[in-house]
Amino acid sequence: MNHRTYNIKNAVATLCLIAAGGYAYAAPVTVTIDTSKPGPVINKNVYGQFAEHLGTGIYEGMYVGPKSKIPNTRGWRNDVIGALKEMHVPLVRWPGGCFADEYHWRDGIGAREKRPVKVNTNWGGVEESNAVGTHEFFDLAEQLGADTYVNGNLGTGSAQEMSEWVEYMTSDSKSTLAELRRKNGRDKPFKVDFFAIGNEAWGCGGNMTPRYYTDLYKQTETFLRAPKHLRPQIIASGGNDYDTTWTDMISREAKKQTYGISFHYYTIPTGKWEVKGAATGFNESEWFSTLSNTLKIDSMIKKNVEVLDRNDPEKKVGFLVDEWGTWYDVEKGTNAGFLYQQNTLRDAVVAALNFNIFHDHADRVKMTNIAQMVNVLQAMILTDKDKMLLTPTYHAYHMYVPFQDATSLPLTLKDNPQYSYNGSSIPEISASAARAKDGKLYLALVNTNPNKDAEVAVDVPGVSIKSVKGRVLTAPAIDTHNTFQAPDTIKPAPFSANAGADGKLTIKIPSKAVIVVAVE
Ligand code: AHR
């Protein structure tokens, strides 16, 4: 086909689409932001991270030990920590996950060479040196300037063990445990912002019923003692997916002593744990099913929030999505227990869709922790010996930094088309707006359609918009990703648009893209 033939055919096709009310020149989507009715603050900890003793997530990925040739500060890699600081990590959850319910904190204190070597039974059966323990974790958090979330062991631990750990970390007295902490090099108490009693009590945390767990939770919480100004906020282990029974029982029986109830949901392309789908080299069918499955979290949150609104109308108890993200088949040739997976443009779109949903529930969703920070599942960073790369998910987090502690603003989307595939549909555009701490109005947009650019008219009643400025993240292929040979294949690019002579501003958002702009 020569060029001329193509153009004529194309023009005819376009005319047909116009005549048929098709998409080529469809009316733009209109996003209207109501700045007169500010909503709840989007807690910065909605952008929290999860670091478990799993695969190379901590060892190698972040912690290489003080004697490593890889430049480090007290064992923590300077390159990785630098990139995470740049991303403004507000909070880190540690040491698990399933690992937490077999972790005994005394194994991870004192001289490192004398710490016991254990077997990581959950994740690959590899040796756990315990080189990273309580002091190392708080060093990491302090280097990052992040809040801390310590997950206690209810599975193989006890109320006494958790009580003593909290005393070890927080006591400013001369008690034997506080003195032991001092002997191990830390005079002042650590700042423990959050402490969870167990993890996934319905599964790897002990296969408990909500009844049994709630009783153990109340018993344990009673004995978590700390100086009043240093007492961590306490988190209960809740349910997953569409199960609201945990939320119901805990919020009915223990709301006074609970900061929030944890909830887990993973996005799996096929929806089946046995064969999840690949991280790269997937087709449009899995692009669509992944986005469609990730959007289900909205209805899961809504169902749980309904229960909370009934049991806790004062909105005291938070709904904390402390594990979420994509979970694919592991990369070929890697240890199946290490959950190592590549990360593509699809993951960035998944992240942004989830952020926009979390913002919509900012009054209850006060924390989320993506699984996991480095080299595990939907990671921010991948490492290979001394090399590291930033994933598309890292870039999405970086673009959304202005939303941390911003005040959410209600918005409406008019004429939002559906992106349809094989008889199913999801909304084409997802949007979120907030007034950030710098006083500026920020707008985030996602185009879920991999085949079609979109036009979004921005309307802020009472405000004459001059321009928008920010960044866009997109790429030629749905599975574009960074590699150690080409680490900058996908990264954000500057984006701006100006209002027309009529004072109206329209953003042209490319297909399969995330945009975050300041509206000026
Ligand atoms: O993030 C990996 C695992 O997924 C966690 O250890 C567990 O809590 C969940 O099942």
Side-chain angles (χ1 to χ4, degrees):
M1 173 168 47
N2 67 35
H3 190 60
R4 192 179 143 74
T5 322
Y6 171 79
N7 281 341
I8 291 168
K9 278 195 172 168
N10 216 22
V12 171
T14 304
L15 284 172
C16 292
L17 277 166
I18 294 169
Y23 59 71
Y25 291 103
V29 185
T30 303
V31 55
T32 305
I33 306 167
D34 187 351
T35 53
S36 70
K37 293 195 187 73
V41 168
I42 299 162
N43 195 310
K44 70 182 192 331
N45 290 337
V46 162
Y47 289 86
Q49 297 284 324
F50 174 32
E52 180 168 14
H53 288 238
L54 195 175
T56 54
I58 290 184
Y59 301 114
E60 288 185 40
M62 282 195 282
Y63 186 85
V64 286
K67 293 187 189 141
S68 170
K69 287 201 182 106
I70 298 175
N72 67 81
T73 303
R74 294 180 295 280
W76 295 101
R77 289 177 71 138
N78 293 345
D79 54 351
V80 172
I81 302 304
L84 292 171
K85 276 171 85 163
E86 181 69 21
M87 205 190 87
H88 294 240
V89 171
L91 167 77
V92 185
R93 174 178 183 237
W94 170 87
C98 297
F99 180 84
D101 275 305
E102 293 188 57
Y103 180 66
H104 298 287
W105 66 271
R106 284 171 198 271
D107 294 344
I109 57 169
R112 271 193 289 274
E113 59 285 2
K114 291 199 183 132
R115 295 184 191 173
V117 174
K118 295 279 177 88
V119 176
N120 190 331
T121 48
N122 282 289
W123 305 119
V126 294
E127 284 171 8
E128 164 60 54
S129 69
N130 279 304
V132 170
T134 302
H135 291 250
E136 289 79 12
F137 168 66
F138 282 95
D139 187 19
L140 166 70
E142 285 168 10
Q143 288 191 38
L144 291 174
D147 286 354
T148 59
Y149 173 176
V150 174
N151 207 121
N153 175 354
L154 185 71
T156 61
S158 63
Q160 180 173 1
E161 187 180 0
M162 278 185 267
S163 165
E164 288 174 355
W165 196 8
V166 170
E167 181 184 333
Y168 180 86
M169 292 187 286
T170 63
S171 176
D172 51 6
S173 73
K174 294 271 184 235
S175 79
T176 303
L177 281 169
E179 290 292 78
L180 180 60
R181 184 191 69 231
R182 292 191 186 98
K183 186 171 148 252
N184 288 332
R186 175 71 177 208
D187 180 23
K188 288 201 209 102
F190 292 118
K191 184 169 130 334
V192 190
D193 296 289
F194 304 96
F195 188 90
I197 299 174
N199 166 73
E200 292 193 355
W202 47 265
C204 67
N207 290 307
M208 301 176 193
T209 60
R211 170 75 277 143
Y212 185 64
Y213 172 78
T214 304
D215 287 338
L216 284 183
Y217 171 75
K218 288 188 288 187
Q219 179 199 354
T220 306
E221 191 278 338
T222 310
F223 300 105
L224 299 184
R225 305 191 201 284
K228 204 165 175 213
H229 64 292
L230 293 170
R231 191 166 198 279
Q233 301 277 10
I234 306 300
I235 294 173
S237 171
N240 68 334
D241 298 0
Y242 285 101
D243 182 4
T244 57
T245 53
W246 296 75
T247 302
D248 184 37
M249 186 169 287
I250 296 162
S251 61
R252 266 190 293 111
E253 298 192 13
K255 70 175 170 184
K256 282 208 193 83
Q257 55 270 58
T258 303
Y259 173 79
I261 300 171
S262 97
F263 166 82
H264 295 176
Y265 174 62
Y266 284 98
T267 300
I268 300 171
T270 61
K272 295 191 187 103
W273 284 98
E274 307 74 49
V275 185
K276 302 176 199 70
T280 58
F282 50 85
N283 54 22
E284 188 179 344
S285 166
E286 286 197 5
W287 166 275
F288 181 86
S289 63
T290 305
L291 304 196
S292 174
N293 286 344
T294 216
L295 290 171
K296 290 178 186 162
I297 200 170
D298 189 38
S299 53
M300 295 172 191
I301 295 174
K302 279 186 181 133
K303 276 179 73 137
N304 280 279
V305 165
E306 268 170 38
V307 172
L308 285 173
D309 285 349
R310 216 169 42 236
N311 296 345
D312 172 42
E314 316 81 32
K315 292 192 189 288
K316 199 191 143 291
V317 179
F319 189 66
L320 317 179
V321 186
D322 69 4
E323 282 184 34
W324 67 275
T326 53
W327 194 322
Y328 306 126
D329 297 328
V330 294
E331 298 298 334
K332 287 200 178 77
T334 64
N335 185 327
F338 282 15
L339 312 187
Y340 178 83
Q341 61 189 40
Q342 247 298 357
N343 193 295
T344 69
L345 172 62
R346 176 177 62 171
D347 293 271
V349 169
V350 163
L353 290 173
N354 278 277
F355 299 156
N356 292 353
I357 291 170
F358 298 150
H359 297 172
D360 286 345
H361 299 285
D363 56 344
R364 282 285 181 195
V365 178
K366 297 179 194 166
M367 172 199 291
T368 90
N369 305 91
I370 191 166
Q372 299 191 5
M373 195 145 69
V374 179
N375 286 341
V376 176
L377 298 176
Q378 191 178 345
M380 310 302 109
I381 290 176
L382 300 179
T383 66
D384 179 16
K385 302 190 183 71
D386 60 341
K387 295 198 203 76
M388 73 155 207
L389 63 80
L390 307 177
T391 65
T393 300
Y394 174 97
H395 293 306
Y397 269 81
H398 197 261
M399 288 166 72
Y400 271 76
V401 165
F403 284 90
Q404 293 192 19
D405 280 340
T407 302
S408 60
L409 293 169
L411 63 72
T412 50
L413 276 168
K414 197 166 136 256
D415 299 326
N416 192 4
Q418 294 286 305
Y419 158 42
S420 303
Y421 185 85
N422 214 8
S424 301
S425 305
I426 58 173
E428 190 167 281
I429 301 296
S430 157
S432 188
R435 175 82 60 195
K437 287 196 298 182
D438 63 7
K440 290 186 189 165
L441 169 60
Y442 284 86
L443 173 64
L445 294 170
V446 184
N447 183 356
T448 61
N449 193 323
N451 307 313
K452 178 176 150 262
D453 303 348
E455 294 198 342
V456 179
V458 184
D459 178 28
V460 187
V463 177
S464 128
I465 306 171
K466 292 190 189 61
S467 64
V468 295
K469 281 196 194 72
R471 289 186 296 165
V472 58
L473 186 67
T474 188
I478 51 178
D479 72 339
T480 303
H481 55 278
N482 293 328
T483 63
F484 295 105
Q485 292 70 42
D488 287 326
T489 307
I490 166 168
K491 62 179 183 183
F495 182 90
S496 62
N498 294 317
D502 56 0
K504 293 194 171 137
L505 190 137
T506 299
I507 293 177
K508 291 191 175 133
I509 174 164
S511 62
K512 51 179 168 8
V514 178
I515 284 183
V516 176
V517 285
V519 180
E520 289 165 3

